[in-house]
Amino acid sequence: MTKLSLGSHPYLLGFEQLERLLERNAKSGNEGYPPFNIEQTSERSYRITLAVAGFRDEDLSITVEERQLMIRGGQAEDDAERLFLHRGIAGRQFQRSFVLADGVEVAGATLENGLLHVDLERAAHDKVVQTIQIKRA
């Protein structure tokens, strides 16, 4: 039995880049930290919420490259002057990535009460019907 990939399916032309994005996202090491929610806030908008307690806005970075939303966090180590009797709150670095569909853009981000909210919007598309003229060879 032959495995068909998204890019090689005969009815899906030009989706090779999407397949590469999905493969790269699957290999990016998205573990369980930090936990996150994805919600649809309207017909054309979404919100990704990450639990980032203890992180300040300067500890976080949000980038979009080749339709891939990347959220990274890292805290400066100031443990030299602190003596922990028990350390149960993780302050480790993280990286979360999400593949964005064409037309989905980051509208903004807010940090409130230990939650990072990244708002996404999908641009409204006008229906376009294109008629192709057939030329004689």
Side-chain angles (χ1 to χ4, degrees), residues 74-94:
Q75 296 174 318
E77 294 293 327
D78 62 349
D79 297 343
E81 62 227 27
R82 299 168 74 182
L83 175 62
F84 289 98
L85 300 179
H86 170 76
R87 186 162 189 178
I89 300 173
R92 61 185 182 211
Q93 294 184 3
F94 70 87

Side-chain angles (χ1 to χ4, degrees), residues 6-21:
L6 185 65
S8 68
H9 193 280
Y11 299 122
L12 300 174
L13 303 175
F15 284 88
E16 297 84 9
Q17 182 179 0
L18 177 62
E19 185 173 24
R20 284 192 301 272
L21 276 172

Side-chain angles (χ1 to χ4, degrees), residues 16-110:
E16 297 84 9
Q17 182 179 0
L18 177 62
E19 185 173 24
R20 284 192 301 272
L21 276 172
L22 290 172
E23 286 175 4
R24 188 172 67 201
N25 194 29
K27 295 176 185 175
S28 69
N30 273 346
E31 299 163 357
Y33 179 76
F36 67 94
N37 293 336
I38 300 175
E39 60 184 300
Q40 186 169 1
T41 53
S42 75
E43 187 176 317
R44 287 194 302 266
S45 63
Y46 309 91
R47 174 174 269 188
I48 300 171
T49 301
L50 286 87
V52 292
F55 286 84
R56 300 168 299 171
D57 55 351
E58 57 265 18
D59 298 330
L60 302 166
S61 75
I62 303 169
T63 58
V64 177
E65 184 178 341
E66 295 183 15
R67 310 304 317 150
Q68 187 164 10
L69 169 66
M70 191 72 69
I71 303 170
R72 293 181 179 95
Q75 296 174 318
E77 294 293 327
D78 62 349
D79 297 343
E81 62 227 27
R82 299 168 74 182
L83 175 62
F84 289 98
L85 300 179
H86 170 76
R87 186 162 189 178
I89 300 173
R92 61 185 182 211
Q93 294 184 3
F94 70 87
Q95 176 175 302
R96 279 277 182 195
S97 61
F98 304 89
V99 177
L100 302 179
D102 285 338
V104 174
E105 301 292 332
V106 176
T110 56

